[in-house]
């Protein structure tokens, strides 16, 4: 149990770090949109969505993403709009948004992790474990999927595998 609590604490730290990474990513998109003089409309939409996300204006994020997806359809770059949609929606529609993002960009490790997290929240432990494992295959340096996979395995009573994941993390 102590190992589980330590893992949970470390996960909280990693999630805070990830949130900071999202904010930095938003700043990058905003800089791109400003430097390009607004010529890249997709970048402007993404920048606006990240700015809204950083202010916790979830409805605005969804509106901006919907606007961008209607305008750009399946063009490259729309995976970012789907990822933002998935981030905001913590339900089955969020999982569907991550599915669409991963169809466009299957090598995005964090997309697999985030979809896995939503799957776990919605009691699809096996699907979550598959996504966490995919994220680890794509980027073995990130520890968050390893910890979450351990939690998924722990919730299924697979203690030895969970301990192995926590120990490795």
């Amino acid at each position: 149990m102590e190992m589980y609590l330590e893992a949970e604490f470390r996960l909280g730290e990693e999630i805070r770090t990830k949130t900071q990474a999202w904010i930095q990513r938003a700043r990058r998109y905003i800089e791109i949109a400003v430097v390009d003089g607004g010529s890249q409309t997709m970048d402007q939409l993404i920048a606006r969505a990240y700015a809204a996300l950083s202010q916790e204006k979830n409805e605005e994020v969804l509106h901006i993403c919907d606007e961008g997806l209607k305008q750009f359809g399946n063009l490259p770059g729309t995976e970012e709009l789907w990822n933002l949609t998935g981030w905001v929606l913590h339900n089955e529609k969020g999982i569907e948004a991550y599915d669409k993002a991963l169809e466009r960009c299957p090598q995005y490790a964090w997309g697999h992790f985030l979809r896995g997290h939503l799957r776990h929240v919605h009691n699809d432990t096996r699907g979550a474990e598959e996504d966490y494992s995919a994220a680890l295959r794509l980027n073995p340096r990130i520890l968050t999927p390893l910890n979450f996979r351990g939690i998924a395995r722990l919730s299924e009573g697979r203690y030895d595998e969970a301990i192995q994941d926590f120990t490795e993390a």
Side-chain angles (χ1 to χ4, degrees), residues 120-131:
H120 194 194
V121 167
H122 293 283
N123 299 315
D124 178 6
T125 310
R126 288 292 178 180
E129 185 177 345
E130 288 172 13
D131 275 335

Side-chain angles (χ1 to χ4, degrees), residues 22-153:
W22 278 71
I23 291 169
Q24 289 173 347
R25 197 172 192 177
R27 288 184 182 131
R28 187 185 81 225
Y29 274 105
I30 291 167
E31 288 170 8
I32 290 169
V34 170
V35 168
D36 288 343
S39 63
Q40 295 184 353
T41 309
M42 173 95 67
D43 285 336
Q44 284 181 321
L45 286 170
I46 293 170
R48 283 178 41 217
Y50 272 113
L53 181 66
S54 71
Q55 297 171 8
E56 298 181 14
K57 296 180 179 178
N58 291 343
E59 289 302 317
E60 187 176 337
V61 172
L62 294 175
H63 174 74
I64 293 167
C65 290
D66 187 52
E67 179 183 326
L69 292 167
K70 285 178 184 171
Q71 184 175 350
F72 295 106
N74 288 324
L75 289 177
T78 56
E79 67 274 359
E80 195 66 32
L81 297 170
W82 286 115
N83 280 326
L84 283 160
T85 300
W87 179 263
V88 171
L89 297 175
H90 292 280
N91 55 28
E92 292 295 324
K93 291 199 181 287
I95 294 170
E96 291 171 14
Y98 283 122
D99 289 344
K100 291 177 182 176
L102 289 167
E103 285 172 14
R104 288 157 181 74
C105 190
Q107 72 278 10
Y108 184 51
W110 280 108
H112 286 279
F113 163 72
L114 293 168
R115 182 177 66 180
H117 177 66
L118 280 184
R119 284 178 164 176
H120 194 194
V121 167
H122 293 283
N123 299 315
D124 178 6
T125 310
R126 288 292 178 180
E129 185 177 345
E130 288 172 13
D131 275 335
Y132 298 147
S133 295
L136 290 165
R137 278 192 305 279
L138 291 166
N139 188 347
R141 295 175 305 197
I142 54 176
L143 299 179
T144 306
L146 191 58
N147 283 315
F148 273 79
R149 188 176 69 182
I151 291 170
R153 289 174 170 176

